[in-house]
Amino acid sequence: MGVIARIMHGEDVPQPVLQILGIKRINTNSDQERYRLLMSDGKYYNSYAMLASQLNEMQHKGLLTENTIVRLDKYMTSMVGKEGSGKRVLIVTELTVLKSGEEVKTKLGEPVTYENAAKPEAAPKAAPAAASAPVKKDQSYNYNNNNNNNTMNSTMNGTLNSSLTHPIASLSPYQNKWVIKARVTSKTAIRTWSNARGEGKLFSMDLMDESGEIRATAFKEQCDKFYDLIEVDNVYFFSKCQLKPANKQYSQLKNDYEMTFTGETMVQLCDDADDGGIPEIKFDLVPISQVASMENKAAVDTIGICKDVGEVQTFTSRTTNKEFKKRELTLVDMSNAAINLTLWGDEAVNFDGHVQPVILVKGSRINEFNGGKSLSMGGGSILKINPDIPEAHKLRGWFDNGGGDNISNLVSARTGGGSFSTDWVTLKDARIRNLGSGDKPDYFQCKAVVHIVKQENAFYKSCPQTECNKKVVDEGNGQYRCERCNAAYPNFKYRLLINMSIGDWTSNRWVTCFNEAGEQLLKHTAQEVGEALENDPTSAEKMFGDINFSSFIFKLRCKNEMYGDMTRNKLTVQSMTPINYKEYNKHLIKELKEMTGIGPAN
DNA sequence: CCCCCCCC
């Protein structure tokens, strides 16, 4: 009997050798690239063979042309379509080309379609048990009525094996008779919601098998039922979930669909011995130094030592009024670079960084701020602490021998060493482009001259507490009262809040310098400036006058702000630095080239 | 049926 017939009966034939008679791209309703193979064993051919997407590369390289002889090193079969009329599909996950199509030149034998051959009993339960791995009955999780429970057991008991489960890539809303065998790669905490449409709780998890990945979410009752059962890294059988189109906005998983648990959903732990076919999660690890040159908002997998760890910070979002907790870690690696990683919620609260563990992160998001790049955990990000992988052990050895002592490349540093990563915008263009009118502030830089620095209201007396900069009330008795701290102090600290007019070649604007920027501007501490303004007008005059008509590179924050019922566009100085002409000229030359198309390519 | 992740 031909090998194809045996495989299509459900037999697990090791490393069958077949000939490719054709290959064509399947039209999927997304940009997912999948190929269907027409394969022959010399006696039968079968067009229900698919190439796992990780092998697409072989097709790109032209290795899978007509007449090529291949060995299927790894494959699986599964039933698709309606029960009874179901077709068995062969999915090839590893193959070796034995002889190229060019060498073979011709079709071997006179194969007929397998479908035309005498149909054997093709029902799944008739499959030989060779590859089956019995599932422990007592690990069956079902919380429904007895009827469903029976269904579960008759489906699962002793007959489930890899060749009877469906690949995740084959799931669609049009077909609900399936069982998948998948590894849980991540699981969220339980989250509650409350909005106009109601309230509830949910958690979601990411599932993976050799064919692909999918997000599954359990709401309300199902959330309670399954939350404790589902453990990250375990392999389970899942069935009877509802499929619906995935909202790509919220998931970077490679699947057009996502699943929702229903009252019928069944989940069953898979024996360790039988999960060999399900891959471990893969990390596409990027050296930290390389993150500096990656796009803002890109997803990053990386690994590093948690060299420093910050305290948990609690704050309320201004836009949503929700409370958030975060914690920032500093990761270092052998690229001699450091980057900050922000953890959120319970993950932030429970994190223990004092032992400087190895941190592996998958799918973290790049956040660019003031030229520095940081990583943040977000939807779908996975954090692993001290993972047992070679990279982690290598890092541990490196770090424990002083490897992290001289980190020079601080990827998250905000004043990124003279690099001009913030957009260059002229003062006029900032107006024309309506910068600052969005929800978030815009940041830009420009070269401008200081015209006038106002001395009036250039400072205020603030609360002496380190983290409180609130203006204090002079009670006239040597006491200064802070409303925020609800306390009176015998002392205060000066803080700067300076308004000045700056101009570039297009326009001029009033901008505000808060404390640190003000100190940069006047080259004196806030204390010195405050004392001079209060007690030494001559000295103050000199401080404020000296700076006029000097040029700087200004990094500005631009945001519309409400004053009563008026909206005003405000510019705040983030930093002002003396002009590094070598760097600035580089920028000008680049602009000239872009505008004219003249000049050698860089 | 969620889908929020701030601030610098």
Side-chain angles (χ1 to χ4, degrees), chain A residues 430-481:
Chain A
R431 287 278 198 209
I432 292 172
R433 287 164 52 177
N434 271 326
L435 293 190
S437 54
D439 291 344
K440 288 192 172 183
D442 291 307
Y443 295 88
F444 69 96
Q445 61 184 331
C446 68
K447 171 177 169 287
V449 181
V450 175
H451 288 164
I452 310 157
V453 184
K454 281 223 298 211
Q455 292 186 36
E456 295 79 49
N457 302 316
F459 72 91
Y460 66 93
K461 291 171 180 172
S462 79
C463 178
Q465 295 299 106
T466 328
E467 287 304 319
C468 181
N469 295 322
K470 179 106 180 119
K471 187 175 177 174
V472 289
V473 179
D474 188 343
E475 298 193 315
N477 56 1
Q479 292 285 304
Y480 300 88
R481 175 152 199 88

Side-chain angles (χ1 to χ4, degrees), chain A residues 179-193:
Chain A
V179 178
I180 58 167
K181 179 170 141 186
R183 191 180 298 279
V184 175
T185 57
S186 71
K187 161 182 156 181
T188 69
I190 293 178
R191 191 172 66 226
T192 57
W193 84 88

Side-chain angles (χ1 to χ4, degrees), chain A residues 4 25 45 97 147 151 168 180 245 247 296 319 321 339 353 357 381 386 458 460 492 525 560 586:
Chain A
I4 283 184
R25 186 163 172 177
Y45 59 80
V97 171
N147 186 33
T151 312
I168 286 174
I180 58 167
N247 189 337
N296 191 21
T319 44
N321 261 336
I339 195 162
S381 304
N386 287 325
Y460 66 93
F492 61 85
T525 63
N560 284 351
K586 252 196 235 169

Side-chain angles (χ1 to χ4, degrees), chain A residues 208-226:
Chain A
M208 179 186 65
D209 71 8
E210 220 156 6
S211 76
E213 52 189 357
I214 194 164
R215 159 75 49 89
T217 304
F219 290 95
K220 300 175 183 172
E221 297 82 11
Q222 282 77 256
C223 174
D224 289 335
K225 262 190 219 171
F226 291 108

Side-chain angles (χ1 to χ4, degrees), chain A residues 51-67:
Chain A
L51 200 61
S53 52
Q54 67 264 30
L55 297 184
N56 286 351
E57 192 59 24
M58 297 187 84
Q59 161 68 356
H60 298 165
K61 288 179 179 159
L63 299 174
L64 305 179
T65 54
E66 205 175 317
N67 300 325

Side-chain angles (χ1 to χ4, degrees), chain A residues 21-36:
Chain A
L21 296 183
I23 180 166
K24 75 171 184 187
R25 186 163 172 177
I26 302 169
N27 287 325
T28 59
N29 50 0
S30 72
D31 43 11
Q32 275 181 46
E33 184 185 342
R34 297 303 298 261
Y35 291 96
R36 172 181 281 197

Side-chain angles (χ1 to χ4, degrees), chain A residues 4 16-23 37-42 51 58-59 61-72 95-108:
Chain A
I4 283 184
V17 173
L18 299 168
Q19 184 177 33
I20 295 174
L21 296 183
I23 180 166
L37 295 160
L38 183 60
M39 306 264 251
S40 159
D41 60 9
L51 200 61
M58 297 187 84
Q59 161 68 356
K61 288 179 179 159
L63 299 174
L64 305 179
T65 54
E66 205 175 317
N67 300 325
T68 303
I69 307 282
V70 297
R71 185 181 66 220
L72 310 193
L95 69 76
T96 305
V97 171
L98 299 180
K99 214 161 191 185
S100 75
E102 273 179 27
E103 282 179 88
V104 180
K105 287 192 182 65
T106 168
K107 178 170 80 177
L108 303 177

